[in-house]
Amino acid sequence: MLTSTLAFDITQFFSSLNHCLLSLILDKAGFRSKVINFFSNYLINRKTAYSWNSFPSHLFNVNMRMGQGSALSPILSALYFSPFLYILEKCLKNLNLKSSILSFVDDSLLISQGKSFQLSNTQLFSSYNIASKLLSKFSFLVKYSKTEVFYFSRSHSIFNPLLLNLSAIGSPSLIQKDIWRYLGFIFDKKLYFCQHINFYANKAISTVKCMKILGNSTRGLNLQQKCLLYRSCALSIALYGFQLWYYSKAPLSYSLKSLGKLQRKIAIWILEAFKMSPSYCCSNHSLEWHL
């Protein structure tokens, strides 16, 4: 089974929320009239002032829709976007398009699987066309420059899929990539995650090197402080997204070898030694790091 993905970004997501449509969605969702009336006036005739020490400015009109830094923005945007996801999935099902959508705030992803990339491209093109038209009805615009396509296959044959052409709906030509970074995760075509592990292992080592400036010039950091920094900072970076590649029957030899090298370097720094005897804290069936 071959998998194709199409990632697209919504430009100015929070500021594009339609205020009147938001009130209708809240009413349709069954909220009380007091809540609906509150949010109906939440973004109307607002004013703000700036202050520098004890010098306040005069009031400015803030006639914007939804501010990105507002505490209510994530909640209201999720309520606003949920009807779009519901309608889109219903349209795809009625048209027998075997595509699914994932969304994280303004980043959305269409996924299609099939026996050939030509079939999945057809599914993605139709699904993307429906999604873009539906987004315009919700006062959203797609940022075409950030639209990306990526294909997954574990076939050992020559990998040269026919790229999806979106020029008919205004999107520029897409470029096939060997490595795809999406929401902080690094994917390759075969889902081996070697680049992902190497990237975050090197990032963890760079973080440890920067920790040397935390100690003073006379005595530096003691062993307990180094261990605490390693567990709380470096380890969380090195194991970022390990739920993707650490699962039953997954090829873990390369992953555990890379992380073992990382732990050896950090252990030498903590113990202030030039070299250390080999230890096997990582096995093929468990990922347990101890210092």
Side-chain angles (χ1 to χ4, degrees):
M1 187 68 69
L2 304 175
T3 303
S4 303
T5 59
L6 176 66
F8 59 94
D9 183 84
I10 301 174
T11 181
Q12 297 181 352
F13 179 77
F14 290 103
S15 59
S16 298
L17 267 66
N18 188 297
H19 189 221
C20 296
L21 182 57
L22 176 61
S23 301
L24 293 176
I25 292 174
L26 294 176
D27 185 27
K28 190 69 175 179
F31 284 88
R32 294 183 178 181
S33 58
K34 291 183 178 180
V35 177
I36 299 174
N37 293 333
F38 171 79
F39 286 110
S40 298
N41 298 318
Y42 176 62
L43 301 174
I44 297 176
N45 298 327
R46 294 195 303 167
K47 298 180 181 294
T48 187
Y50 300 93
S51 62
W52 181 265
N53 293 332
S54 59
F55 301 98
S57 67
H58 61 277
L59 292 175
F60 294 93
N61 292 324
V62 187
N63 294 322
M64 57 182 296
R65 294 185 178 178
M66 184 67 65
Q68 186 170 354
S70 174
L72 293 173
S73 295
I75 301 174
L76 294 178
S77 62
L79 291 171
Y80 186 91
F81 204 62
S82 56
F84 163 77
L85 297 175
Y86 175 77
I87 297 173
L88 178 61
E89 290 181 353
K90 193 172 182 179
C91 291
L92 296 179
K93 185 177 180 180
N94 292 336
L95 295 175
N96 198 22
L97 294 174
K98 298 179 181 179
S99 300
S100 58
I101 184 170
L102 300 175
S103 180
F104 182 76
V105 192
D106 59 340
D107 294 310
S108 298
L109 183 70
L110 285 169
I111 305 172
S112 178
Q113 290 183 320
K115 295 182 179 180
S116 65
F117 286 117
Q118 184 177 2
L119 177 61
S120 60
N121 281 345
T122 304
Q123 300 276 350
L124 284 180
F125 178 84
S126 302
S127 303
Y128 183 68
N129 190 18
I130 296 172
S132 59
K133 291 181 179 179
L134 187 58
L135 283 172
S136 62
K137 294 182 179 180
F138 278 79
S139 303
F140 288 128
L141 292 176
V142 177
K143 196 170 186 178
Y144 292 119
S145 59
K146 289 188 176 182
T147 304
E148 296 178 308
V149 64
F150 199 80
Y151 301 97
F152 298 94
S153 174
R154 290 195 172 183
S155 175
H156 296 286
S157 59
I158 298 176
F159 190 82
N160 189 20
L162 182 65
L163 284 178
L164 178 63
N165 187 7
L166 299 177
S167 58
I169 54 178
S171 181
S173 300
L174 302 177
I175 301 174
Q176 170 64 17
K177 300 179 179 179
D178 295 329
I179 303 298
W180 181 43
R181 184 168 182 175
Y182 183 70
L183 297 179
F185 303 105
I186 302 174
F187 300 92
D188 57 7
K189 297 173 183 177
K190 297 183 181 295
L191 289 179
Y192 287 148
F193 296 103
C194 297
Q195 290 82 3
H196 177 89
I197 296 169
N198 286 336
F199 176 82
Y200 284 101
N202 293 330
K203 189 175 182 179
I205 293 176
S206 301
T207 303
V208 171
K209 291 181 179 179
C210 295
M211 292 177 183
K212 297 178 181 179
I213 64 175
L214 297 177
N216 57 42
S217 58
T218 56
R219 54 186 174 82
L221 298 171
N222 57 40
L223 189 144
Q224 288 79 12
Q225 291 172 338
K226 290 181 179 180
C227 288
L228 180 61
L229 287 172
Y230 166 62
R231 289 178 178 272
S232 58
C233 299
L235 194 59
S236 59
I237 296 175
L239 297 181
Y240 177 77
F242 79 96
Q243 296 92 339
L244 288 174
W245 54 264
Y246 186 77
Y247 56 91
S248 178
K249 297 181 181 181
L252 299 176
S253 57
Y254 178 85
S255 306
L256 298 181
K257 184 178 179 181
S258 300
L259 295 176
K261 292 180 180 179
L262 165 67
Q263 175 153 327
R264 180 181 178 276
K265 292 181 180 180
I266 296 178
I268 291 175
W269 169 69
I270 292 176
L271 299 174
E272 297 181 353
F274 294 100
K275 62 175 64 178
M276 59 179 291
S277 58
S279 60
Y280 299 93
C281 296
C282 298
S283 65
N284 291 332
H285 301 286
S286 62
L287 187 61
E288 297 178 355
W289 288 15
H290 300 285
L291 282 175

